[in-house]
Amino acid sequence: MMATRTRTGILHEILALRKEGRGAEALHRLQGALRQRRLDPLEIDQAGRFLQQEWARQDQKAAGVRVLLLGQCTTSWLVPALVAVAWGRQARVQIEEGGYDTVLQDLARRPAQDSPDVVILLPWNQRLLGRTDVPPRQRIDEELAFWQEAWHLVHSRHHSRLLQVGYDWVDGGAAGHFLAGQPGGPVWLVREMNAALRERLPAGSFFLDLVQVSGASGRTSFYDMRRYCWTRQPFSEAGIYHLAEHVWAGVQALTVGPKKVLVVDLDNTVWGGVVGETGPHGIVLGDSGDGAAYQAFQRYLKELRSRGVLLAAVSKNNPEDARAPFQLNRDMVLHLDDFAAFEAGWAPKSVMLERVARDLRLGLDSFVFFDDNPAEQEQVRQALPEVEVVAVPSEPAEYIGALVDGLWFEAAAVTGEDRDRADRYQSEQARRQEQWSFASLEDYLRSLQMRAEVRPLDEADLPRVVQLLARTNQFNLTTRRHSREEVQALAGQSGAVALTLRGEDRFGDLGLIAVLLAVPAGDGDEPTVRIDTWLMSCRAIGRTIEHFLFTAFLERCRALGLRKVVGEYIATPKNGLVKGLYKELGFALLSADGAGASRYELVLEEARPPVTFVTAKG
Amino acid sequence: MDDYLDRLNAVFQQVFLDDRLVVTRDTTAQDVEGWDSLMHVSLMVNVEKAFGVRFRSSEVAGLQTVGELIDLIRARQEATRRQ
């Protein structure tokens, strides 16, 4: 499914730009080319090394995601490939590389205070498949014990997330294709090994299934055993590039989370033909030919939706024409209520996308745009550079492949919240449509009949809480991306107040949507807690839900005999929404530093519960 | 003859990210900044791609000068043509 990549001469171009002192322009040009995947694997390597040179020159090493890469094989070529792939996805990554096959030594030597964001663990099969004098089961147990030791070293000393790559075989070995898969054979060993890793891997980690990745591009082109002999690095140039793409998708899944919204065009995208011309029954859709391809694509979209990806339709059509197939054509797999947003009209696609973003209250940087028309792709690319625009193939049977290749929706785990998300946004659409029919905001909020329950954080909530910590940007006072272990440690302190809020309204269940973590702040005779983290999912914004949570928090503080609460606000490009929250709640400013962090204090005796339209559940 | 050197020079510039780099038949790894054993592998796979050849491990390990590399490319191309 990989697009043919030809050498573009882009490297000579950016070297020339750099020579003229136009380094920033060179980086920008390179990003554009990487984004559209116009570089071949050799150019990817060069591009990555170029980026590293430029950043070293600009001395901006501190920016971006920090990654530690440790392998049982040489990892040197994966570093520039990862840097380049990340840059193509508009991210900076700072990679530290371990020695050759010194995973445990490197981890044990590392100072505890020096925690990367993600630790990537890359096995190679030299012992699993090579130690033929040791019984197969024992080899699996020993390799597993090795990685468990590595996981332990990471988690006991750092708050990093784990990205564990799986094992793979290059060929079936002397056993031959049939026997390789029988117990004791190399294929069997790898499969058993990977199953054991998956099963034991700490929750919240990402498992990268190398067998799938190498299989998708073909093992014979994914590996180059000459390079293993030369430098103990088994991957071909193309293999390194593919591996880097998957590793980066895993890092994204562990840090910012996958993309949230897939925006699709309708004509010649989810069905063949132009519905405005042919009518709802004349579109190409059905059991054979292109019709079958479009139907398969619709099924794929529906599966994405059930996994938590929000679907939006953006179509240049009269609204009634665009809706007609969903209502009248029985070959349609998708229905109108599968879409969290539906825009049909004649505005430029970028304008419609902005409308969708506003309606869903999600940043355009969490959007992927899929439209068969190259002109529309280019319009969106130009107008909204933060949106990922899919280079859609001209063959509808290859649409799914284009989305799979993009790796935009790779997730570390699917929670119950994910599965229900699409339904909730669907009811959000109903809510919004009503919003405008009320005279005042108060009337609207009252009409929602919101109810909520605030509970102490418990073990079962952890996956969702950690997910919210990783993803929430707007209503997030401190944007601290705590790991599961950190949350447990914070909430487990004696005197800590750790609360979660679940909400519902007359349109449906909103799920676990807000978290507040406060820890004791040593203040001698004036018992005080400091709000370490306070965040709320964007679908809960603007509905006074935060006031309900804060009131419950105040009650809890009083019950604990506390005197004061300290709040912090750390400014980011995205959380301007809550800049004034502590002030509104009656806190007094204690201090503010130049970097955008400020501290507030509230004396509990003087605290007044803020107005809320949410009532207690049960 | 010079055609090979010119083409190879372009590959060197790209691999070592230096468009002022000029190699001659006598250039060795010591003359080029950053030409270590890892970069040697990168260089070899780039040369393979640029000239449409595939080297053997033994050939790659023994190379001393750019001139020897050109001779090797020619020999490989010759061998491919004969097949």
Side-chain angles (χ1 to χ4, degrees):
Chain A
M1 208 62 71
M2 173 180 148
T4 318
R5 293 175 185 118
T6 51
R7 290 175 81 80
T8 54
I10 178 90
L11 260 297
H12 281 293
E13 219 174 295
I14 60 167
L15 288 175
L17 282 171
R18 179 170 73 179
K19 197 162 58 183
E20 291 168 31
R22 293 152 71 188
E25 200 180 326
L27 292 180
H28 189 253
R29 295 258 318 134
L30 189 55
Q31 186 166 58
L34 285 164
R35 228 176 156 188
Q36 293 183 42
R37 307 173 97 195
R38 288 200 277 112
L39 275 65
D40 73 17
L42 293 174
E43 290 171 324
I44 290 285
D45 175 65
Q46 289 147 14
R49 286 188 290 110
F50 178 86
L51 289 166
Q52 287 176 302
Q53 279 184 7
E54 281 304 285
W55 288 329
R57 187 170 319 201
Q58 295 169 9
D59 198 25
Q60 292 183 355
K61 275 179 244 147
V65 183
R66 290 184 61 219
V67 164
L68 174 64
L69 172 61
L70 303 173
Q72 291 179 324
C73 59
T74 299
T75 53
S76 307
W77 282 275
L78 190 54
V79 175
L82 258 178
V83 168
V85 165
W87 185 238
R89 299 271 161 128
Q90 310 190 74
R92 286 271 304 265
V93 59
Q94 189 195 336
I95 305 168
E96 204 185 322
E97 201 189 351
Y100 165 69
D101 202 8
T102 54
V103 176
L104 297 182
Q105 298 91 310
D106 290 340
L107 283 173
R109 254 201 310 269
R110 192 176 181 85
Q113 64 273 20
D114 190 8
S115 288
D117 296 312
V118 177
V119 177
I120 300 167
L121 300 171
L122 177 66
W124 188 241
N125 61 26
Q126 69 268 37
R127 282 179 289 273
L128 180 70
L129 303 186
R131 293 167 66 206
T132 44
D133 52 325
V134 179
R137 217 12 108 183
Q138 190 185 331
R139 277 185 259 165
I140 291 173
D141 291 343
E142 286 179 16
E143 292 290 294
L144 181 63
F146 176 91
W147 292 114
Q148 284 181 310
E149 176 64 21
W151 302 338
H152 174 73
L153 281 169
V154 172
H155 274 165
S156 61
R157 301 149 56 98
H158 304 292
H159 51 73
S160 317
R161 303 292 218 87
L162 287 171
L163 194 161
Q164 175 71 53
V165 182
Y167 285 74
D168 196 10
W169 65 89
V170 177
D171 54 67
H177 285 79
F178 171 62
L179 290 177
Q182 299 280 78
V187 173
W188 177 89
L189 272 159
V190 167
R191 287 188 177 136
E192 292 288 304
M193 185 71 231
N194 287 341
L197 284 174
R198 250 181 214 272
E199 194 188 309
R200 307 288 166 79
L201 191 61
S205 309
F206 190 94
F207 182 76
L208 199 165
D209 190 349
L210 190 61
V211 171
Q212 277 194 58
V213 175
S214 72
S217 45
R219 282 191 180 74
T220 45
S221 64
F222 192 84
Y223 293 108
D224 181 350
M225 292 322 278
R226 293 180 314 167
R227 294 185 68 162
Y228 189 67
C229 297
W230 296 344
T231 58
R232 302 282 145 203
Q233 193 281 108
F235 310 104
S236 70
E237 307 84 84
I240 278 285
Y241 177 28
H242 282 293
L243 181 58
E245 289 194 306
H246 281 268
V247 167
W248 182 248
V251 171
Q252 290 277 87
L254 290 172
T255 52
V256 295
K259 298 285 176 191
K260 293 174 179 160
V261 187
L262 175 59
V263 183
V264 292
D265 168 48
L266 297 177
D267 288 334
N268 288 318
T269 298
V270 298
W271 58 67
V274 177
V275 65
E277 288 165 13
T278 63
H281 299 291
I283 57 174
V284 180
L285 192 67
D287 294 332
S288 59
D290 277 358
Y294 287 112
Q295 231 173 23
F297 187 54
Q298 289 199 11
R299 269 194 295 276
Y300 181 76
L301 295 179
K302 195 143 181 147
E303 277 172 40
L304 276 182
R305 178 193 184 273
S306 67
R307 239 196 59 197
V309 176
L310 299 177
L311 298 182
V314 157
S315 169
K316 282 195 179 163
N317 261 314
N318 292 320
E320 56 275 23
D321 286 339
R323 287 191 154 80
F326 294 96
Q327 292 153 337
L328 300 170
N329 189 319
R330 307 187 113 206
D331 289 327
M332 290 288 289
V333 178
L334 288 169
H335 300 289
L336 279 176
D337 59 12
D338 289 324
F339 292 90
F342 196 96
E343 287 283 334
W346 302 98
K349 292 265 162 119
S350 62
V351 173
M352 295 201 249
L353 276 169
E354 281 177 314
R355 239 180 256 155
V356 171
R358 212 165 35 236
D359 283 356
L360 298 177
R361 297 201 197 97
L362 289 170
L364 281 164
D365 57 1
S366 61
F367 279 50
V368 175
F369 178 61
F370 194 102
D371 190 316
D372 69 294
N373 183 338
E376 303 287 18
Q377 293 169 23
E378 194 49 36
Q379 195 269 327
V380 171
R381 224 174 255 136
Q382 299 272 337
L384 306 172
E386 61 272 49
V387 173
E388 287 292 345
V389 177
V390 183
V392 177
S394 52
E395 165 62 56
E398 289 169 4
Y399 283 1
I400 294 175
L403 275 183
V404 172
D405 268 2
L407 306 175
W408 290 291
F409 305 108
E410 298 292 311
V414 178
T415 65
E417 295 288 330
D418 290 326
R419 280 186 285 270
D420 300 338
R421 180 175 302 121
D423 292 327
R424 267 193 308 274
Y425 273 89
Q426 180 58 34
S427 34
E428 180 67 22
Q429 218 189 358
R431 265 175 224 120
R432 264 196 317 275
Q433 275 159 13
E434 274 199 21
Q435 191 163 355
W436 316 119
S437 58
F438 290 93
S440 71
L441 185 63
E442 279 84 1
D443 285 345
Y444 164 67
L445 291 173
R446 209 167 280 122
S447 77
L448 285 174
Q449 299 166 20
M450 292 178 285
R451 301 194 309 159
E453 183 186 14
V454 175
R455 285 205 310 226
L457 182 135
D458 72 32
E459 192 78 19
D461 295 332
L462 279 173
R464 171 61 177 164
V465 167
V466 172
Q467 187 183 55
L468 278 172
L469 283 163
R471 288 185 185 177
T472 310
N473 295 315
Q474 292 178 282
F475 194 109
N476 195 337
L477 275 304
T478 54
T479 322
R480 294 189 172 118
R481 309 292 194 198
H482 293 312
S483 67
R484 185 189 171 103
E485 290 69 27
E486 285 169 309
V487 175
Q488 279 173 315
L490 285 171
Q493 289 182 45
S494 131
V497 183
L499 303 173
T500 60
L501 179 144
R502 284 162 202 280
E504 63 180 36
D505 63 21
R506 70 191 176 91
F507 295 101
D509 188 10
L510 292 158
L512 199 169
I513 42 177
V515 178
L516 193 156
L517 302 174
V519 291
D523 201 348
D525 30 297
E526 293 209 308
T528 303
V529 286
R530 176 180 62 82
I531 302 177
D532 174 90
T533 293
W534 185 4
L535 58 79
M536 199 163 74
S537 161
C538 47
R539 61 175 174 258
I541 292 171
R543 302 170 59 167
T544 70
I545 290 174
E546 67 272 30
H547 293 168
F548 184 84
L549 175 57
F550 189 68
T551 303
F553 171 68
L554 290 177
E555 282 167 16
R556 183 86 194 111
C557 289
R558 289 198 177 101
L560 286 170
L562 294 168
R563 280 264 301 136
K564 282 183 187 170
V565 176
V566 170
E568 290 167 282
Y569 169 73
I570 302 173
T572 72
K574 290 189 166 178
N575 72 350
L577 177 78
V578 289
K579 190 174 196 286
L581 181 70
Y582 282 125
K583 232 172 160 180
E584 284 162 33
L585 294 173
F587 282 67
L589 183 66
L590 278 182
S591 63
D593 69 10
S598 39
R599 283 168 75 85
Y600 297 83
E601 184 183 76
L602 178 70
V603 178
L604 276 162
E605 259 173 36
E606 295 160 13
R608 302 278 165 271
V611 175
T612 182
F613 291 87
V614 184
T615 56
K617 198 167 135 184
Chain B
M1 193 70 176
D2 281 334
D3 176 47
Y4 274 77
L5 193 56
D6 286 348
R7 284 168 65 195
L8 201 52
N9 203 73
V11 175
F12 269 83
Q13 288 185 352
Q14 195 160 331
V15 171
F16 291 98
L17 302 173
D18 178 1
D19 52 8
R20 275 166 291 209
L21 183 61
V22 178
V23 295
T24 66
R25 282 192 64 93
D26 299 327
T27 304
T28 67
Q30 281 77 49
D31 303 324
V32 178
E33 201 192 322
W35 190 351
D36 57 18
S37 58
L38 293 181
M39 282 306 287
H40 188 62
V41 174
S42 291
L43 180 65
M44 288 306 120
V45 291
N46 274 274
V47 170
E48 284 185 333
K49 179 105 177 202
F51 291 87
V53 293
R54 195 167 160 84
F55 302 133
R56 297 183 193 137
S57 296
S58 57
E59 297 167 339
V60 165
L63 288 176
Q64 297 294 330
T65 65
V66 169
E68 287 175 28
L69 177 56
I70 291 176
D71 297 341
L72 176 61
I73 295 167
R74 287 165 164 275
R76 280 278 130 240
Q77 285 180 333
E78 198 58 36
T80 317
R81 261 196 294 279
R82 270 201 307 265
Q83 271 167 16

